[in-house]
Amino acid sequence: MSTSTTGATTVPGLVGGAAKEPDEATGTLATVDQLLRDRPALLERLESGTDLLGIARTMILTIVLCAGVFGAALGFHRGGVQILYAGVKLPLVILLTAAICTPALSALRKAVAGSTVIRRDLAHVLVSLALGSLILAALAPVVALASSWGASYHQMVLVAVGCCAIGGVAGLSLFFKGMGGLDLGGRAVVGVVLMLLVAVVGTQMTWTMRPYLLRPRTESVPFVRAVEGGFLDSVALSFDSARGVYHRGEAPLPDAGWEEEAP
C-alpha cells in the first residue's frame, strides 16, 4: 500500500483547515494588559469597533475595583464604616460621570465629523476613566501612608486632590489620543469642550457624594452630607488650613460663638 503526499503547507494557527481565533487576545485580563502596556492596540480596537461591549464591561470592572481601592484608602483616614462608604461612592461617581458625559461626546462628534457610534463613544470614555482609576489604585498606598504618618484632615484633602489630578491628566491624555476620525481642529473642539464638561460634572458629582474624608470633629459617619459651598471653595479652604491659615468665621472653634469669630 502506498501513501501519497499532497504537499500541503502547515500554517501556524490553522487547526483542521480553519483559523483559530485567539480568544485570550480579547479577554478581560488581556484587555487590562493592553490598557497598561499597549494602549495603541486598544485604541485601534475601539476605532475598528472590535468587541466594544467586552471592552466596556472590562473597563467598568476596572473602574469599580481600582477606584474602590483608592476610595477605601481615603476612608482609612477615619476608619470603620467610612472605608466601605468611600470605597463604594468613588466608583459610583466615576461611572455616573461617564453616563452623563457620553451623550455629549456623541453629539459633539456628530456635529464635527458628521457621524458617530454611541457604543464606541461610551467605550472610549470608559477606557480613559479606567486608566485614571488604575493610576489612583497605584497611588492608594501614598494616601494610606500619609494617613498612617498622622497627616491632618486638610493635608489629606490636598493629597487626595493631587492624586486625582494625576489620574485625570493621564485619562485625558489617552482620551485625546483616541479621537480617531477627526482632524486636528475637530479634536481640539471636542477635546476641550468635553474636558470642561467632565471637570464640571465630575467635581460636582464628587462634591454631591462627599464625604470621602471626615473632619475630626464629626461624630457620626454619614453616607452623604448636605450640599454646602462648592468644591473649589473647599479646596481653597483646605489649602489655607494646611498652611495654618484658618477661617474661623466659617469653621468656629467649639468654645467660640459665631458672633465672636465673625470678622
Side-chain angles (χ1 to χ4, degrees), residues 143-165:
V143 176
L145 282 174
S147 180
S148 298
W149 289 343
S152 68
Y153 166 80
H154 298 289
Q155 290 171 338
M156 289 297 299
V157 170
L158 296 179
V159 170
V161 171
C163 291
C164 291

Side-chain angles (χ1 to χ4, degrees), residues 129-193:
L129 293 174
L131 178 61
S133 298
L134 280 166
I135 292 176
L136 288 181
L139 293 173
V142 175
V143 176
L145 282 174
S147 180
S148 298
W149 289 343
S152 68
Y153 166 80
H154 298 289
Q155 290 171 338
M156 289 297 299
V157 170
L158 296 179
V159 170
V161 171
C163 291
C164 291
I166 294 173
V169 168
L172 284 173
S173 175
L174 180 60
F175 177 81
F176 279 107
K177 292 178 181 178
M179 288 193 297
L182 297 176
D183 56 21
L184 185 59
R187 291 189 179 197
V189 171
V190 174
V192 170
V193 172

Side-chain angles (χ1 to χ4, degrees), residues 54-117:
I55 293 175
R57 282 197 301 258
T58 299
M59 296 304 110
I60 290 173
L61 179 61
T62 301
I63 291 170
V64 169
L65 293 178
C66 294
V69 167
F70 185 78
L74 292 176
F76 177 73
H77 186 255
R78 176 61 180 257
V81 73
Q82 180 63 12
I83 297 175
L84 174 63
Y85 283 174
V88 169
K89 288 189 294 184
L90 191 58
L92 186 60
V93 165
I94 295 175
L95 293 176
L96 287 174
T97 300
I100 293 173
C101 293
T102 296
L105 172 60
S106 296
L108 285 169
R109 290 186 66 111
K110 179 71 174 179
V112 173
S115 63
T116 190
V117 179

Side-chain angles (χ1 to χ4, degrees), residues 19-258:
K20 181 181 179 180
E21 292 293 335
D23 295 334
E24 63 275 11
T26 56
T28 299
L29 294 179
T31 300
V32 174
D33 185 66
Q34 280 188 328
L35 179 61
L36 289 171
R37 301 196 298 177
D38 194 5
R39 286 186 280 277
L42 182 58
L43 294 177
E44 184 178 347
R45 288 175 59 190
L46 285 177
E47 190 61 28
S48 64
T50 302
D51 192 26
L52 292 177
L53 183 59
I55 293 175
R57 282 197 301 258
T58 299
M59 296 304 110
I60 290 173
L61 179 61
T62 301
I63 291 170
V64 169
L65 293 178
C66 294
V69 167
F70 185 78
L74 292 176
F76 177 73
H77 186 255
R78 176 61 180 257
V81 73
Q82 180 63 12
I83 297 175
L84 174 63
Y85 283 174
V88 169
K89 288 189 294 184
L90 191 58
L92 186 60
V93 165
I94 295 175
L95 293 176
L96 287 174
T97 300
I100 293 173
C101 293
T102 296
L105 172 60
S106 296
L108 285 169
R109 290 186 66 111
K110 179 71 174 179
V112 173
S115 63
T116 190
V117 179
I118 191 166
R119 287 187 299 174
R120 181 186 61 195
D121 295 337
L122 176 59
H124 186 186
V125 172
L126 289 173
V127 164
S128 302
L129 293 174
L131 178 61
S133 298
L134 280 166
I135 292 176
L136 288 181
L139 293 173
V142 175
V143 176
L145 282 174
S147 180
S148 298
W149 289 343
S152 68
Y153 166 80
H154 298 289
Q155 290 171 338
M156 289 297 299
V157 170
L158 296 179
V159 170
V161 171
C163 291
C164 291
I166 294 173
V169 168
L172 284 173
S173 175
L174 180 60
F175 177 81
F176 279 107
K177 292 178 181 178
M179 288 193 297
L182 297 176
D183 56 21
L184 185 59
R187 291 189 179 197
V189 171
V190 174
V192 170
V193 172
L194 197 73
M195 179 179 66
L196 294 175
L197 181 62
V198 169
V200 171
V201 173
T203 53
Q204 184 57 44
M205 197 70 65
T206 303
W207 184 252
T208 301
M209 296 294 291
R210 78 193 196 289
Y212 308 91
L213 294 164
L214 281 176
R215 295 180 183 274
R217 298 174 190 165
T218 304
E219 296 181 1
S220 60
V221 180
F223 185 73
V224 294
R225 201 162 61 194
V227 177
E228 55 184 16
F231 176 79
L232 294 180
D233 293 335
S234 177
V235 172
L237 287 174
S238 294
F239 182 75
D240 288 342
S241 298
R243 295 185 298 117
V245 179
Y246 296 97
H247 301 272
R248 294 302 181 191
E250 301 185 21
L253 292 171
D255 57 349
W258 285 97

